[in-house]
Amino acid sequence: SLAPDSAHAQHMFGHILPQLGRWADAAEYFLKAHRIHLREAQVEGYATSDDWHFEHNLDLLTSTLVYLGRGAEAESLNRGQCKEGAIMSCYIESGLLMVNGKYNEALSLIKLRFNGYRNSDMITNLAILAMVGQGQLDQARARLQQLKVAEDGDQSAGYLFARAAVELLDASTDHEAVMDLVRHRLNRPGFDSWSKGVIHSRILARVLRERGAPELAQRIETMSISAYETQTCKTQACKQNGLGKP
């Protein structure tokens, strides 16, 4: 049996289970790791934001719950984790609010914790998605243009999905070229990469659907499922389980 007091042992077993199509079990092991982290932080007297693995595990737990359609449960687990200086926790919590369509609340949280989202490109990307969700396309486009992006094409998931939200709602852009960028990002190998894509693709699909582009939203959702099958679902048992659908 797994070491009952080791958060990392529970977490790594959770990593394996999605490859078998066992999503609900993966969520339970990530949740066990989460509870161990919380207990250790309380006993030892340190902030969870000082523990990189706490935020990493919470990230995968959140993605897994969202994939299972348990977004409300994920939101409840994350609420209050966004504290001053805890960039990843704030990223997860504000992103999750947007998965659930709470764009105003997400922007308020970002502005409160990040002084108007000026000191983190990662957070700015989420703010851009929230602006598009609110219908503030011009403001979102202006913020997007201000971001400094690497020129080697290895752009962050956040930037690519923020860019996609702006450009897929602009009739003058090449939608297929944007879709290719999204597909490429979703198909990066590994569960960690795919998991980040889950949150971003859910936000993007919701924004597109709410802003009058349901066909594009459906294509984004289909890409996410396909990427799971290609990159994460490694066994025949998994593939027989509805192409990785929970």
Side-chain angles (χ1 to χ4, degrees):
S1 61
L2 295 175
D5 295 323
S6 171
H8 194 243
Q10 315 302 319
H11 172 85
M12 291 311 298
F13 192 54
H15 258 273
I16 295 169
L17 293 171
Q19 298 180 34
L20 305 174
R22 293 172 57 185
W23 281 95
D25 290 338
E28 286 308 306
Y29 278 94
F30 290 140
L31 185 57
K32 286 180 182 179
H34 179 69
R35 289 169 177 158
I36 293 170
H37 277 306
L38 290 176
R39 184 174 68 244
E40 287 180 346
Q42 183 176 26
V43 170
E44 300 295 333
Y46 61 83
T48 53
S49 59
D50 292 333
D51 182 354
W52 170 85
H53 196 266
F54 170 81
E55 294 188 314
H56 172 61
N57 181 74
L58 184 58
D59 187 17
L60 296 193
L61 171 58
T62 298
S63 299
T64 302
L65 290 173
V66 167
Y67 191 66
L68 286 166
R70 293 159 58 181
E73 182 180 348
E75 186 179 330
S76 176
L77 279 170
N78 279 275
R79 190 167 294 280
Q81 294 297 331
C82 178
K83 303 176 180 69
E84 198 71 38
I87 294 179
M88 180 54 72
S89 290
C90 290
Y91 187 68
I92 296 168
E93 186 173 348
S94 54
L96 194 52
L97 287 168
M98 291 163 60
V99 167
N100 294 326
K102 300 178 181 180
Y103 308 117
N104 289 337
E105 193 172 342
L107 273 176
S108 295
L109 184 65
I110 289 168
K111 291 177 181 178
L112 173 66
R113 296 301 185 196
F114 289 91
N115 189 27
Y117 49 78
R118 283 192 293 273
N119 62 347
S120 171
D121 285 355
M122 182 168 68
I123 297 296
T124 302
N125 292 324
L126 281 181
I128 291 168
L129 280 165
M131 290 175 189
V132 178
Q134 292 178 316
Q136 300 174 11
L137 199 56
D138 289 340
Q139 294 94 317
R141 186 180 293 107
R143 289 297 302 174
L144 188 67
Q145 291 173 347
Q146 292 172 10
L147 285 179
K148 294 180 180 179
V149 182
E151 296 180 357
D152 60 3
D154 189 25
Q155 299 165 344
S156 71
Y159 176 83
L160 283 176
F161 283 91
R163 174 184 170 185
V166 171
E167 294 187 356
L168 289 175
L169 291 173
D170 185 344
S172 68
T173 61
D174 183 346
H175 288 179
E176 291 309 312
V178 177
M179 284 292 196
D180 283 343
L181 287 172
V182 173
R183 185 180 296 105
H184 175 74
R185 186 60 181 77
L186 283 173
N187 278 282
R188 282 192 176 184
F191 181 52
D192 287 2
S193 292
W194 181 83
S195 140
K196 282 186 170 48
V198 170
I199 299 297
H200 287 100
S201 61
R202 290 293 174 94
I203 296 170
L204 177 57
R206 181 171 195 132
V207 166
L208 291 173
R209 184 168 284 110
E210 291 178 352
R211 305 317 305 174
E215 298 86 359
L216 292 174
Q218 182 60 52
R219 288 180 62 187
I220 295 294
E221 291 169 345
T222 300
M223 280 183 197
S224 181
I225 294 294
S226 176
Y228 168 76
E229 184 190 15
T230 302
Q231 301 300 334
T232 305
C233 186
K234 299 296 185 183
T235 66
Q236 190 60 35
C238 178
K239 292 176 182 179
Q240 289 173 347
N241 185 26
L243 301 181
K245 297 177 185 177

